[in-house]
Amino acid sequence: MIESAVLRHFPWLGALSAVELRQVAGELRQIDLAKGEILCEEGRKERSLYLLLSGGLEIWRGWGQEGAECLDVVSGWVVVGEFQLLVGGRRVATILADQPSIVAEWPYEKIERWLQRYPSWVGIFSRMVQRRIQQNQLHAVLGRLFGSLRKQVWEDVRARVEWVHLERGQRLFREGEASDGVYLVVSGRMRIEMPQEDGEIRTLGEIRRGELLGEVGFFSNSPRVASAVALRESHLVHFSQVFFEGLLRQHPHEGLRVMQAAVRRLRAAIQERDQAQSSRPLNLAILPLDRGMPYRHFVRVLVEALSGHGSTCLVDRAHIAEWFGDEGIASLGGEDPYSLRLHTWLTDLSGRHRFVVYVMDAEDTPWTQRCLRMVDVLLLVGEASAAPALREVESRLLAQVPVGGLEQRLILLHPKETKQPEGTAAWLEARHVEMHHHVRWGIREDMARVARFLAGEAVGLVLGGGGARGFVHYGAYQALRGAGIPIDFLGGTSMGAIVGVQCALGADRSTFLDRSRWALIKQKPFQEYTFPFMSLIRSRRLDKTLKRLCEGLKIEDLWLPFFAVSSNLSRQRPHIHRKGLLWRALRASSALPGFLLPQIEEGELLVDGALLNNLPVDVMRRYCRTVIAVDVSEELEFRMPIKYFPSPFRFLWMRLRYPKIASSIPNIVSILSYSTMLGGLQHEQRMIESADYCLRPPVSEYALLEFRSMEAILEVGESYARRFLEEHPALRDLAAALDKKRVGEVE
C-alpha cells in the first residue's frame, strides 16, 4: 500500500484534500523494478500513468533494435506515460529502470474521473508532455549536430539552455544588434531577411529544425548582419556565451568537441542554405476552396505520393475522431484545456514524420485556425472549372498572416480528358502564390510532380540560346525522358525557350519537326528585310508565326511550369517571363538587338535574353533541387577564313564557286548574335559550373540560321545525351531513385 503522504511530492496533487489523497493512494499499484527491467514497451496499447517514487528510468525509442535511441533519463518525483494518457494509442517509447526503482501505476480507468473533476490536470499533463517532446527533440538534434553526449553532459546542457518560443511573424533579432549567442531551431521554421535601400525586404534563406541560427555573428564577434523572423510557431534554444564558458569549464573535452562541431557547421552553413534541401520536415495544410468539391481523393493520392519521399502522416477530422473517439476535440478553441490534448498529439506527430498533411475545413473554424498556426506551406486546392474569385475563408485566414509569412501554392484540378488548361491567370491575379500546379485526375505524373516540388526533389531543365543549334535541345530532352528522368520545370533563353515550349506542350518528334519546318522554313520569318533604321528584320512575319505556333496560350496555362528569359534594356536587368501570352515571351526572349525589333512591354524594351543570361541555371535553382542544363555556346568558333571581307558581289560569287568558305564568313546576323552573347560569357560560364549536369553537344559546325539541318542537329542532341547518361551514372541513379518514389496510377 502506497502512503498518501508520499503523493504530496507531486505538486499537481497538492490541491487534493487528505481524504482525496487517500482515495488516490488506494487506486495505485506499486511496481518494484530491478535495474534494466522494463516498465512498459513501445507499441503496446495501454494508458496507465506512472509516478516515479524512487530510483530512475530511461526512455528509449526502438529499444532492442539497431539504431535504438535513448530519448531521456529521469529521476526524482516525476511522471511518465502522460502522453498516452492524454491521446491514447500505442506507446511511442519503451521505459525501463536504470537502477532499482519503485513506481506507482495509476490505470486510466481510475484517473479518468479525476480528470473530469479537475480538468486543469489536462493542461498540466499537456505541458509536461510538450516539455518532454521538446527535450526529446533537442536531444535528437544535438546528437545529429555534435554526436552522442554523455549523460551528465546532456543533463548540464538541458539545465543551462534558454528556451525561446515564437509565434508566426515574431522577430528573434534584428540586423545590427549585438550577437549574444547561437540559436538552435528545435521545431518550426525561421526566415533570414535583410532590408534593402529601396525599402524592399530581401530573403536570404530559411532555417528549419535542427539548424543553427546566428552563429556567424557570434563566432566572428560582430553584430547581426540580418534579421530572423518566425514563419510559423517555433521553439528554439539559446546558447549564450555564458553557456559555452560553463560547458568548457565543467566538461572541457565535450565542450571543445561541441565548439568544433559548431565551427564546422558554420563553415558549411552558407553552402547548405544555398542548396535545395531534400530531407527537411514539412507541415502542409490543404484548404479546399469549395465545400462540395471531391478533394478527399486528391488528399489520399497526395499522401501516397509524399510517402515515397519520407514518412507521411495525414491529419483530418476523421483521423482525429478515430484517435480520440471524439471529433469534437478538433472544434475546441485554444483556451480549452482539453484542446491541449490535440496540440500535444500534433506536436509529437511533427517530430516523428517528415510530412504532416493537415486537411482544413472549407470555412474559418477553430480547426482551420489551428492548422494555419502549425504549417509551413498552404495548398489552395480548387476545381479549375470553378469561379476563380478569392474565397471568403482565404481572405479571413490570410489577413492574419504577415506578408510573405506563409508559402502558398495553388493546385487546380482538371478532368482527365482536359487537353489544355485555360483561365489560370484569373486565379493567380486574385492570390499571391509561390507556384501553381495543374493536376489531372488519373494522370500519374501530375501528382508525382507536385510531390517532388513539395519534397524539394524537383528536376529542372535549362535550355540555352544558340539559333538553329537549339534544335539539339529537343533531342536531349527526349533522351532524358526516355531514360526515366522526370522534367518538372522547363526554362530557357531565345531558341532554348522556343524549343522548351514545344517540350512543355508534349509535342512528339514528328509534330515538333513539322511545326519547326512550317515556322522557320516555310514562313521564313527571318527574311522579312526592311530599311535598317531600327532593325534588319521587320518582325511582323515572326510575330504572326509565333502567334499561330502558340495558339493564344498563356504561360500559366501550360501543364509543365515554364519560364523564358529576356533582357530589359529599359531597366538593364534580366526579365523572367512566368505569366502572360506565350508568344510575347518567346518573341522578347529571341529579339536579337539590331536584327529584330525589341518587344515592347508597358513601355519598356525587351530583347534577347542571351545578352544577360543565356543559360539561366540560377533562375531554375530557385525552384528545383536538381538542375540539368543544355548549352550550345562553348564550342562556337568565330574566325575569318580569309584575310579580308569580300565585297557583296564577290561574296555572291564565292557562294557559287566556294560555298564552304563563303558559309564560314561572318555575316551581319552572326556578328550581331556573337556580339550579344559576348557580354554574358562570364555569367554563362558560372551557370555552366553551377548546374548539376551540363550537356554540351558538338554542334559548332552548324550555322546560327541553318534551320534546314534541324533533324540532323536534333539527332546530335539525342545521341550525345545517351552517351552523357552512360558516362554519368549518378544521373541514371537519380532517375531510378525518383522512379521508386512515384505515386501509383490514380483512379
Side-chain angles (χ1 to χ4, degrees), residues 472-486:
V472 82
H473 296 318
Y474 185 84
Y477 171 80
Q478 289 293 85
L480 292 171
R481 295 291 290 124
I485 297 172

Side-chain angles (χ1 to χ4, degrees), residues 102-120:
I102 300 176
V103 176
E105 180 185 18
W106 198 353
Y108 177 74
E109 313 83 64
K110 303 288 186 181
I111 197 175
E112 185 177 21
R113 63 187 182 90
W114 291 97
L115 292 175
Q116 295 173 354
R117 187 184 302 180
Y118 295 99
S120 62

Side-chain angles (χ1 to χ4, degrees), residues 597-651:
L597 284 171
Q599 178 73 20
I600 303 173
E601 296 286 348
E602 298 180 354
E604 297 179 350
L605 302 180
L606 306 181
V607 297
D608 198 311
L611 192 66
L612 296 176
N613 197 347
N614 192 48
L615 194 67
V617 172
D618 51 347
V619 179
M620 187 64 78
R621 185 67 74 185
R622 303 172 195 170
Y623 305 97
C624 298
R625 182 191 181 201
T626 301
V627 178
I628 304 170
V630 184
D631 173 59
V632 296
S633 64
E634 181 180 333
E635 297 181 10
L636 299 179
E637 289 192 7
F638 200 46
R639 301 179 66 85
M640 189 68 177
I642 56 179
K643 294 182 179 181
Y644 59 91
F645 276 100
S647 67
F649 293 106
R650 185 166 181 80
F651 178 73

